[in-house]
Amino acid sequence: SRANGNTVYLTFDDGPSAETTPRVLDLLATHRARATFFVCGEHVEQQPALVARIRNEGHLLGNHTHFHPYLTQISTAAALAEIERCQKLIEPSRRLFRPTHGLIGPSLLRQLRARGYEIAYWTLDSRDWSTTPDDILAARLTKRVQSGDVILFHDDQPNSVRILERF
C-alpha cells in the first residue's frame, strides 16, 4: 500500500556487515530515520553486537535466509530450513521475509504463508551493487522515487552509504 505524504521505506539486505552497517546506522541516526534490515543468519552470528545496535536504535529486523542461496535452485525443504535457521536468530514472533534475489517459487511461497510469514519486496532498487558511479545512482534514485516506495539497499556494499548520503 502507498503511504500518505512523503514517506519512503528504506530497506537493507545481506548484512549486517562490520564494515558498512555502522556507517549506515550513523547516517540513519543523523537524519532520525528508521529502516528495515533483512539480515542473513550467518552474519547475525558473526555480528551480535551490531544486531543489538540495529534493534536498540529502533530499526526492524527481517529474515533474508541464513546463507543467502538462490531459493529457486534448492528444494522447498532446504529453503525452509535456511529461513527457519535465520528466524531463530532474530525475532521469532515477527515473521518478515525477503526472498534472496527477489525470487521465490510457488511451493515455498505457500509454505511460508502457511507459517505466518509476510513476504516483503521492494519497489525501487538503488542498484548499489552495480559498477555504476554512486553519484549517477543517487541522481537516478532521487529522480525516480515516489512517496510510498520501498527502496532496496545492501548494507554489505560500500556504495550504499555514498548513495544514501547523496539521496
Side-chain angles (χ1 to χ4, degrees), residues 13-27:
D13 286 9
D14 300 351
S17 159
E19 295 77 34
T20 310
T21 305
R23 295 170 51 208
V24 168
L25 290 169
D26 291 345
L27 190 56

Side-chain angles (χ1 to χ4, degrees), residues 36-153:
T36 302
F37 289 81
F38 289 94
V39 295
C40 293
E42 69 173 321
H43 301 299
V44 170
E45 290 174 338
Q46 296 163 358
Q47 303 293 332
L50 202 45
V51 174
R53 180 179 172 194
I54 291 168
R55 280 191 179 114
N56 292 340
E57 293 183 9
H59 306 286
L60 293 177
L61 287 174
N63 185 327
H64 200 51
T65 73
H66 195 81
F67 290 117
H68 202 276
Y70 277 92
L71 296 172
T72 55
Q73 295 178 3
I74 61 176
S75 70
T76 299
L80 285 170
E82 274 278 326
I83 295 161
E84 291 296 334
R85 184 172 178 189
C86 179
Q87 194 64 38
K88 289 176 184 171
L89 296 171
I90 55 172
E91 297 188 29
S93 61
R94 180 170 176 90
R95 295 180 165 259
L96 184 61
F97 176 71
R98 175 169 286 164
T100 56
H101 313 283
L103 301 172
I104 190 169
S107 175
L108 179 58
L109 182 60
R110 281 191 302 275
Q111 292 287 329
L112 290 174
R113 286 188 175 150
R115 287 169 168 78
Y117 280 92
E118 178 184 346
I119 311 301
Y121 287 100
W122 59 90
T123 59
L124 195 56
D125 185 347
S126 69
R127 299 182 58 84
D128 55 1
W129 45 265
S130 75
T131 58
T132 304
D134 48 279
D135 57 334
I136 292 172
L137 292 172
R140 185 182 300 154
L141 188 61
T142 301
K143 180 180 178 183
R144 293 181 179 168
V145 70
Q146 298 179 35
S147 183
D149 272 333
V150 177
I151 305 174
L152 170 65
F153 289 95

